[in-house]
Amino acid sequence: MGGGLVGVGCRREKLGVLPSGIDGREIPFCERSAPASEEDIVILMAGRLVEKKGFADGLRALARCRPGPAGPRLRIAGEGPDRSMLEEVAADLGLVGRVEFLGGLSHQKLLRQMAEAHLFML
């Protein structure tokens, strides 16, 4: 494990594997083209709705990139204790109508959302 990193000086004992719930081999490459307008851009975030996952940061980034009711849309897939707080942050930032909370999704439904999105923010 980590032959490439060890080869450039990283100590083997500092390397580890962090398993992910998503098997990257199941996510096919999907060619994207620019949508007709920025309102048609879909950004996806997915995960457990807890502070360390950075969903509030994603909302603030969306608001900074284009404040107001028009602009790229953000879909958030997942459930967790921070959902109501994140809905409040979205409202406070003026993002109502641009942010959709999808709730928990099956693996297949999440893959479908990934295929529809132009960007995945993590």
Side-chain angles (χ1 to χ4, degrees):
M1 171 180 69
L5 292 173
V6 171
V8 295
C10 185
R11 295 193 328 246
R12 187 173 298 280
E13 63 271 12
K14 290 199 158 227
L15 300 176
V17 174
L18 297 174
S20 171
I22 298 175
D23 183 349
R25 296 171 298 188
E26 292 184 21
I27 304 171
F29 175 76
C30 183
E31 187 78 33
R32 305 295 199 279
S33 58
S37 72
E38 69 179 39
E39 286 85 14
D40 295 327
I41 295 172
V42 175
I43 303 166
L44 177 67
M45 293 184 80
R48 184 161 158 70
L49 305 184
V50 294
E51 183 179 357
K52 70 179 181 177
K53 297 292 187 170
F55 288 97
D57 293 330
L59 290 167
R60 285 189 286 276
L62 182 67
R64 285 188 69 184
C65 121
R66 174 61 95 177
R73 292 174 290 130
L74 175 63
R75 294 179 183 164
I76 296 177
E79 284 294 344
D82 287 356
R83 179 173 177 156
S84 61
M85 179 272 296
L86 292 168
E87 290 172 334
E88 287 178 27
V89 169
D92 291 346
L93 293 170
L95 297 174
V96 174
R98 289 181 51 201
V99 178
E100 182 180 2
F101 290 86
L102 304 173
L105 300 177
S106 69
H107 185 70
Q108 282 306 113
K109 287 182 179 178
L110 180 59
L111 289 175
R112 227 174 293 129
Q113 287 294 323
M114 293 175 94
E116 292 174 9
H118 297 96
L119 301 167
F120 185 76
M121 185 168 28
L122 183 62

